[in-house]
Amino acid sequence: MRVPGLIYADERLMRHIRTERSPQQVANVAHLPGIVGRSMAMPDIHWGYGFPIGGVAATDPAEGGVVSPGGVGYDINCGVRLVTSTMHAPEVRERIGELVDRLFRDVPSGVGSSGAIGKLSRRELERVAAEGAAWAVARGYGTEQDLERTEERGRLPGADPSTLSDRAVKRGLDQVGTLGSGNHFLEIGVVDEIYEQSAAQRFGLEPDSVTLMVHSGSRGFGYQVCDDSLEVMQRAVSQYGIELPDRQLACAPVESPEGGRYLSAMACAANYAWANRQVMMVLAMRAVASEMGASPEDLGLTLLYDVCHNIAKLERHVVDGEKRTLCVHRKGATRAFPPGHDAVPSAFRDIGQPVLIPGDMGRHSFVCAGTETAYRETFGSTCHGAGRVLSRSKARKTSGRNLEEELARMGVTVRATGKRTLAEEMPHAYKDVADVVDVVERAGLAVKVARLKPIGVVKG
C-alpha cells in the first residue's frame, strides 16, 4: 500500500462492513500509482467493481497519478437532484396515487426505457455529450438558474465526442429523459424534520413542504463508455508497467493518451447524465403541475441542487500545505464543498454546497451542507446514500412478500416497471441512511439541514 486506508463508520456499521470484501477493496485502491493522502470509504461502503461503492481516492497527475474507470463505475455521473415547492403535505397526500401514476406514465422507466423526447440524430447526441445540461435548457427544458444550481453547471470540460464508440452513441440516441432501472427513482417527499433552520429556509425547505427527487445517471450510453474503456486500460496496465492487486483497478496515467481519452469519453457520459436529469426533472415538474391543475411556477417548483456521485474530476486541493491539481475519484460519494468555495452557487456560498443523500424508498432521505472538514480531510467528499446490506440476488429472495403493500403500510405509494427491481431495491436491502448520515455528521463531513419522508415513488 502506498497510503493508509480509512473507512468512516461506527462500530455497528463496521460489524456489517467487516463481513464484506469492500475493506479489502479500500486496501487495494491504496496501491494505485500517484495516490495521495488516504484511500477512503464513506459509511455507505459496499462491494463494487474495483473500487468499493462509497470510495474516494485522489491521485496526482504530476506524480504519475492514474485514472481508473473502476473508480467511477459503469453508471458514469449517476446522481441526484432535488426540487423544492410551495406545496404542503395535505394537498398532495390526497392525490398521491394519481400523482405517482402520472409520473410513471410521463417519465419512461425500466430496463432499456426510451422515447421521452424522441430519438436524437448522431450530431445532436454529440451536442448533448459536449454541452450537458445546457443542451436541455437551450431546447426549453429548464432555466439558466437550473444550470447555476447544478454541479459544474451541468457540463464537465474536456468532453470529446470523437472518443465515443458507435455502440455507445447508438445506445444513447433515444434515452435522454428516461429513468432506467436499478436503484434509480423519482420520489415525492415531505420535509418532516429541520435541523438547521436558517440553512433550510435558504434551501427552500420548510416543515411539511413537498419535494421531488430525481435519481438517475447516464443510462446505456455511460455503461458503454465504461465498458469500452476497460479493455484499453488493461492494455495500458501492461504498457506502463503498473502493478495492481486487482485487475478491476485497471488504469492509466492521467497524463497518458489512454488516460486522456478515458477522461474525454467519461466527460461525454457525465454531460449526458446531466442532460438526462435536466430533461427528466422538467417532464416530472410538468406531470405534477398538470395533475395538480396548476403551472410549475404556481407550485413554486424550483431546483435546489444537482450532485453527481460517480465521477473522476480534476480539482485543486491542499496536500501537505501545497495546493495541487488532483484527479479525485468519487464512486458512490458526493462532493461536499464548504462555505466560501467558488464552486458553490452564489445563492448558497455562505452556507456550503447542498448535499443530497437519498434513502431507500421507505425510510428517509437527507439534505445536508458541505463543510471545511470534508474539504480538508476527504477532498471535499461525503456519503452518497444508504449503502446496500444485501446483494440484488439476495434481496430478490423475498418470495411471498407483497412489497407494494409493505411500502403502503410505511406511507409510501409505489409504482414499478417490474417486481424484480422492486424486490432488489426494497428498504430491507439497504442500511438505514439515518445511521450513515449520523456518522458523516459526527465526522464533520456534512451538516444535516433537513430530513425528508417519501410518500410516493416511481421505480424503474
Side-chain angles (χ1 to χ4, degrees), residues 202-318:
R202 292 279 295 285
F203 285 177
L205 301 165
E206 60 180 67
D208 230 24
S209 63
V210 172
T211 60
L212 173 65
M213 185 174 280
V214 178
H215 180 207
S216 190
S218 49
R219 307 284 284 110
F221 178 74
Y223 185 99
Q224 193 61 47
V225 167
C226 178
D227 208 43
D228 292 341
S229 69
L230 291 175
E231 190 177 337
V232 176
M233 289 300 187
Q234 292 293 353
R235 291 197 299 269
V237 167
S238 300
Q239 180 179 343
Y240 295 102
I242 299 171
E243 295 184 3
L244 297 171
D246 180 356
R247 67 191 309 271
Q248 290 185 357
L249 292 173
C251 55
V254 171
E255 295 185 345
S256 69
E258 294 84 356
R261 189 173 177 87
Y262 170 71
L263 285 169
S264 294
M266 187 209 68
C268 289
N271 294 343
Y272 185 97
W274 273 311
N276 186 38
R277 289 198 291 276
Q278 181 69 32
V279 172
M280 228 185 320
M281 178 190 74
V282 172
L283 295 177
M285 283 179 169
R286 291 173 182 171
V288 169
S290 177
E291 197 58 42
M292 297 298 290
S295 69
E297 293 76 20
D298 290 338
L299 302 178
L301 292 168
T302 304
L303 175 62
L304 167 60
Y305 200 59
D306 178 298
V307 291
C308 55
H309 49 232
N310 278 359
I311 206 159
K313 290 197 297 189
L314 296 174
E315 297 175 347
R316 297 279 285 172
H317 289 276
V318 175

Side-chain angles (χ1 to χ4, degrees), residues 145-151 302-306 345 347-348:
Q145 179 176 285
D146 295 340
L147 302 181
E148 293 172 4
R149 294 183 173 203
T150 301
E151 185 172 337
T302 304
L303 175 62
L304 167 60
Y305 200 59
D306 178 298
F348 311 130

Side-chain angles (χ1 to χ4, degrees), residues 89 92 187-191 208-213 452-456:
V92 171
E187 181 174 292
I188 298 173
V190 172
V191 178
D208 230 24
S209 63
V210 172
T211 60
L212 173 65
M213 185 174 280
L452 316 177
K453 176 71 177 73
I455 60 173

Side-chain angles (χ1 to χ4, degrees), residues 59-375:
T59 63
D60 187 340
E63 300 291 332
V66 297
V67 60
S68 172
V72 175
Y74 275 90
D75 192 0
I76 296 167
N77 191 6
C78 182
V80 61
R81 60 174 50 197
L82 186 71
V83 175
T84 60
S85 81
T86 54
M87 295 185 290
H88 287 79
E91 62 187 302
V92 171
R93 276 203 174 98
E94 65 183 20
R95 298 190 58 78
I96 192 64
E98 292 89 343
L99 279 167
V100 174
D101 284 341
R102 185 63 180 265
L103 287 170
F104 190 57
R105 188 192 78 182
D106 290 0
V107 181
S109 61
V111 177
S113 53
S114 61
I117 60 170
K119 191 171 183 176
L120 304 178
S121 65
R122 180 178 184 120
R123 182 178 176 83
E124 201 66 5
L125 184 282
E126 291 177 348
R127 286 177 175 157
V128 174
E131 299 170 16
W135 175 90
V137 170
R139 283 149 185 81
Y141 295 97
T143 65
E144 171 67 22
Q145 179 176 285
D146 295 340
L147 302 181
E148 293 172 4
R149 294 183 173 203
T150 301
E151 185 172 337
E152 303 290 344
R153 290 181 58 85
R155 177 184 176 273
L156 207 59
D160 180 358
S162 73
T163 60
L164 301 171
S165 69
D166 289 343
R167 179 157 173 75
V169 170
K170 184 178 180 182
R171 295 187 69 174
L173 293 178
D174 60 355
Q175 292 194 330
V176 173
T178 64
L179 187 62
S181 60
N183 62 346
H184 299 156
F185 60 74
L186 301 176
E187 181 174 292
I188 298 173
V190 172
V191 178
D192 78 343
E193 187 77 41
I194 297 287
Y195 304 99
E196 291 285 341
Q197 183 63 45
S198 60
Q201 189 171 13
R202 292 279 295 285
F203 285 177
L205 301 165
E206 60 180 67
D208 230 24
S209 63
V210 172
T211 60
L212 173 65
M213 185 174 280
V214 178
H215 180 207
S216 190
S218 49
R219 307 284 284 110
F221 178 74
Y223 185 99
Q224 193 61 47
V225 167
C226 178
D227 208 43
D228 292 341
S229 69
L230 291 175
E231 190 177 337
V232 176
M233 289 300 187
Q234 292 293 353
R235 291 197 299 269
V237 167
S238 300
Q239 180 179 343
Y240 295 102
I242 299 171
E243 295 184 3
L244 297 171
D246 180 356
R247 67 191 309 271
Q248 290 185 357
L249 292 173
C251 55
V254 171
E255 295 185 345
S256 69
E258 294 84 356
R261 189 173 177 87
Y262 170 71
L263 285 169
S264 294
M266 187 209 68
C268 289
N271 294 343
Y272 185 97
W274 273 311
N276 186 38
R277 289 198 291 276
Q278 181 69 32
V279 172
M280 228 185 320
M281 178 190 74
V282 172
L283 295 177
M285 283 179 169
R286 291 173 182 171
V288 169
S290 177
E291 197 58 42
M292 297 298 290
S295 69
E297 293 76 20
D298 290 338
L299 302 178
L301 292 168
T302 304
L303 175 62
L304 167 60
Y305 200 59
D306 178 298
V307 291
C308 55
H309 49 232
N310 278 359
I311 206 159
K313 290 197 297 189
L314 296 174
E315 297 175 347
R316 297 279 285 172
H317 289 276
V318 175
V319 180
D320 299 329
E322 179 188 359
K323 203 151 194 176
R324 294 153 71 173
T325 298
L326 305 177
C327 182
V328 181
H329 298 69
R330 296 189 182 96
K331 181 182 180 180
T334 303
R335 196 185 75 176
F337 277 2
H341 196 288
D342 59 9
V344 178
S346 57
F348 311 130
R349 197 162 295 162
D350 59 328
I351 299 170
Q353 179 206 302
V355 175
L356 313 174
I357 305 174
D360 55 25
M361 292 196 299
R363 287 171 285 190
H364 295 96
S365 296
F366 286 83
V367 179
C368 300
T371 66
E372 282 289 350
T373 301
Y375 194 59

